[in-house]
Amino acid sequence: MASFKPTKIQVYPKLGEKVTQDTLYWKNYKAPVQIKEFGAITNIDFSPVAPHNFAVTAFTRVHIYGPFSQEPVKTFTRFKDTAYSGRFRSDGQLFVAGCEDSVVRLFDVSGKVALRMFKGHTKAVHVTDFTSDRYQILTGSDDYTCRLWDIPNATELTTYQEHTDYIRCGVTSKLNRDLFITGSYDHTLKVFDARADKSVMTMDHGQPVESLLLYPSEGLLISAGGRYVKVWDLLKGGQPLVSLKNHHKTVTCLCLSSNGQRLLSASLDRHVKVYNTTNYKVVHNFDYAASILSLALAPDDESIVVGMTNGILSIKHRKSLEESKEISGQQKRRPSYRVFVKGKNYVPKQDDYLVSKPVKQHLAKYDKQLKKFNVSKALDTRKPEITVAVIKELDRRGTLKNALAGRDEQGLSHLLNFLIGNMVDPRFAPVLVTAADMILDIYQSVIGQSPVVDRQLLRLQELLEREIDYQQDLVEVLGMLDTMFASSLPRKEVVTENTTGNKENMHLLYEEPYV
């Protein structure tokens, strides 16, 4: 009895991933180091001074990690409730954080006890930052107010109550100590000048604002909220420049690369997108295991630190030049030639006894079904390449009609979904057109009995009509191109002899290009 011949799956050419300079740059990181924190990580901030430690705000604690340490080098635990927005001052010596208990605490990085406690807010403080002169602190709270505090005197300087919902993000100007910007869940961004009694500029983001970021030149402002990342021109009165919608869920944080030429956005959809700030196109993408709440880049992009909702802190360090060379060298190594030819030239001797070992045939699931003549079940595969190969095999055997017939509403819906998804693919179209024709012949009597099947048939019809229109347009374009090419070719005289032996010009011909 002959053995079963497995179905031959045609191998289609794959489009390789386009390798760009951004791909090489952002892929040049080691495997992530993961650290478990006590709760969701709401903020990460790098110290501006070497060795660039970073502060991680999670639950009722703020941990400070060294650039390569997996254990905190410093911990602040003097919070009665959840801490928020831990930020370093520009000299790296002071540290400020808000809290759910409405108190803002100022710490010396080398100490443990709070140097100052600023009380005045009535609800949780989610926004804290230092002004550029280092002597004032900006805070934003769920009580709809943002305030400026004087550090030496521990007093409140100014209060603004213009937002109508929670203030969840804010940023201070590094060029002017009096300017700062806040973002709120009332969908607005407000630019304040401490010398004025009210805001000097208001912009509508259209969604609850989660994060703000100023360009180093401070002429452009980036806001994130909902699924949108928007860029505003502050020099033109807050005119919107770009609106990006590349995430599937709420964008929670923003970050700029060290040279300011790449923008990073992180979202609850577990992705970090990298944009080119020239044209705002996505140039790279990072995937993570859980929803992302916080993101920070070390100076010179040496580390990418991400905080997630499940309390996992992910740290990716850039590979050194030696490590990159070593890895590339390992990738280039291949087995030597003698490994492949070993034993090929061996000739058995006359007295040798050959012991043959039966080779067990391993069949794929669809081949097992075909071997058992379960032709209907053999079609239920996920990969389109396999499904198309099985359809070709069943058509060759003459049992394709039997495999397609006798299906219930769910089975027929599954087949129609497959056709809708792959019918216009030029790799599969020749095979699937035959299958679609058979399905319509078999199930034409049940049309109108199932609203699900009817909707799918209408979608299939619209898809085919649209594809036919595309094909007709392409044929017209090809005709136009042929005419253009023909008219642009140089003309050449063809000289022929008549019956009397005289030469004459018979006609003009187009000189055909050599292909």
Side-chain angles (χ1 to χ4, degrees), residues 318-330:
R318 182 169 292 284
K319 295 172 186 172
S320 63
L321 190 61
E322 293 78 11
E323 288 175 319
S324 298
K325 287 182 179 178
E326 184 181 341
I327 290 172
S328 63
Q330 289 175 355

Side-chain angles (χ1 to χ4, degrees), residues 16 36 97 106 123 127 167 213 262 280 298 309 321 331 341 351 357 398 422-423 440 448 456 470 506:
K36 177 66 176 173
L106 179 71
K123 289 187 179 179
V127 181
I167 300 173
L213 186 65
R262 296 294 180 266
Y280 293 101
T309 52
L321 190 61
Q331 289 175 346
V341 299
D351 298 333
K357 185 179 179 181
N422 299 280
M423 175 69 87
L440 293 176
Q456 288 177 318
Y470 289 155
M506 295 295 292

Side-chain angles (χ1 to χ4, degrees), residues 220-367:
L220 297 178
L221 172 71
I222 310 169
S223 62
R227 294 171 57 191
Y228 294 90
V229 175
K230 297 188 177 182
V231 184
W232 311 84
D233 191 340
L234 297 180
L235 302 180
K236 294 185 178 179
Q239 178 181 334
L241 292 181
V242 183
S243 179
L244 307 171
K245 190 181 179 183
N246 296 99
H247 288 281
H248 302 298
K249 293 184 179 180
T250 300
V251 183
T252 53
C253 46
L254 299 168
C255 184
L256 272 176
S257 63
S258 55
N259 58 9
Q261 295 180 2
R262 296 294 180 266
L263 168 68
L264 282 76
S265 66
S267 166
L268 296 179
D269 63 6
R270 303 184 295 106
H271 296 293
V272 173
K273 307 277 186 186
V274 184
Y275 304 87
N276 185 336
T277 54
T278 305
N279 52 20
Y280 293 101
K281 291 186 177 179
V282 177
V283 295
H284 195 66
N285 180 64
F286 293 100
D287 296 332
Y288 286 87
S291 299
I292 301 169
L293 290 179
S294 50
L295 165 72
L297 263 179
D300 299 324
D301 304 338
E302 288 299 317
S303 303
I304 300 176
V305 186
V306 167
M308 292 173 262
T309 52
N310 59 359
I312 296 294
L313 181 71
S314 174
I315 308 168
K316 288 183 178 180
H317 296 293
R318 182 169 292 284
K319 295 172 186 172
S320 63
L321 190 61
E322 293 78 11
E323 288 175 319
S324 298
K325 287 182 179 178
E326 184 181 341
I327 290 172
S328 63
Q330 289 175 355
Q331 289 175 346
K332 289 178 182 177
R333 288 189 61 188
R334 296 288 185 270
S336 59
Y337 176 71
R338 65 174 179 272
V339 173
F340 296 103
V341 299
K342 185 178 181 181
K344 282 196 173 182
N345 298 325
Y346 178 78
V347 180
K349 297 176 183 177
Q350 188 176 3
D351 298 333
D352 287 345
Y353 181 76
L354 177 64
V355 180
S356 61
K357 185 179 179 181
V359 180
K360 187 176 181 181
Q361 190 179 33
H362 295 279
L363 297 177
K365 185 182 282 188
Y366 53 89
D367 275 328

Side-chain angles (χ1 to χ4, degrees), residues 47-67:
S47 173
V49 297
H52 302 298
N53 295 339
F54 58 93
V56 177
T57 309
F59 195 42
T60 58
R61 305 183 182 197
V62 177
H63 288 152
I64 296 180
Y65 291 88

Side-chain angles (χ1 to χ4, degrees), residues 90-264:
S90 58
D91 59 2
Q93 295 181 1
L94 294 183
F95 182 83
V96 66
C99 186
E100 187 72 29
D101 64 3
S102 77
V103 178
V104 180
R105 292 170 173 82
L106 179 71
F107 297 90
D108 185 343
V109 173
S110 59
K112 287 188 176 182
V113 182
L115 296 178
R116 297 279 191 277
M117 296 178 67
F118 303 95
K119 298 180 180 179
H121 286 291
T122 57
K123 289 187 179 179
V125 179
H126 283 262
V127 181
T128 62
D129 203 358
F130 291 93
T131 57
S132 58
D133 65 354
R134 304 181 184 178
Y135 298 118
Q136 294 176 9
I137 291 174
L138 164 69
T139 59
S141 169
D142 285 356
D143 61 9
Y144 309 164
T145 66
C146 56
R147 307 181 188 222
L148 282 176
W149 308 81
D150 183 62
I151 295 176
N153 299 319
T155 56
E156 181 183 314
L157 297 176
T158 318
T159 301
Y160 296 95
Q161 189 167 0
E162 295 193 21
H163 287 291
T164 58
D165 208 333
Y166 299 156
I167 300 173
R168 289 296 173 89
C169 56
V171 61
T172 58
S173 168
K174 300 296 181 284
L175 304 178
N176 189 329
R177 70 169 193 172
D178 296 313
L179 292 179
F180 61 92
I181 306 167
T182 58
S184 168
Y185 278 9
D186 63 6
H187 301 186
T188 62
L189 320 168
K190 291 186 180 289
V191 181
F192 293 92
D193 189 330
R195 297 163 292 189
D197 296 332
K198 58 181 182 179
S199 61
V200 296
M201 195 185 300
T202 301
M203 294 153 281
D204 185 8
H205 181 83
Q207 301 282 337
V209 186
E210 299 283 353
S211 182
L212 291 177
L213 186 65
L214 270 173
Y215 271 75
S217 65
E218 301 195 353
L220 297 178
L221 172 71
I222 310 169
S223 62
R227 294 171 57 191
Y228 294 90
V229 175
K230 297 188 177 182
V231 184
W232 311 84
D233 191 340
L234 297 180
L235 302 180
K236 294 185 178 179
Q239 178 181 334
L241 292 181
V242 183
S243 179
L244 307 171
K245 190 181 179 183
N246 296 99
H247 288 281
H248 302 298
K249 293 184 179 180
T250 300
V251 183
T252 53
C253 46
L254 299 168
C255 184
L256 272 176
S257 63
S258 55
N259 58 9
Q261 295 180 2
R262 296 294 180 266
L263 168 68
L264 282 76

Side-chain angles (χ1 to χ4, degrees), residues 73-93:
V73 296
K74 189 80 178 176
T75 301
F76 298 107
T77 58
R78 303 285 177 166
F79 298 96
K80 296 180 180 178
D81 209 330
T82 306
Y84 299 111
S85 187
R87 293 287 182 91
F88 284 102
R89 197 167 71 171
S90 58
D91 59 2
Q93 295 181 1

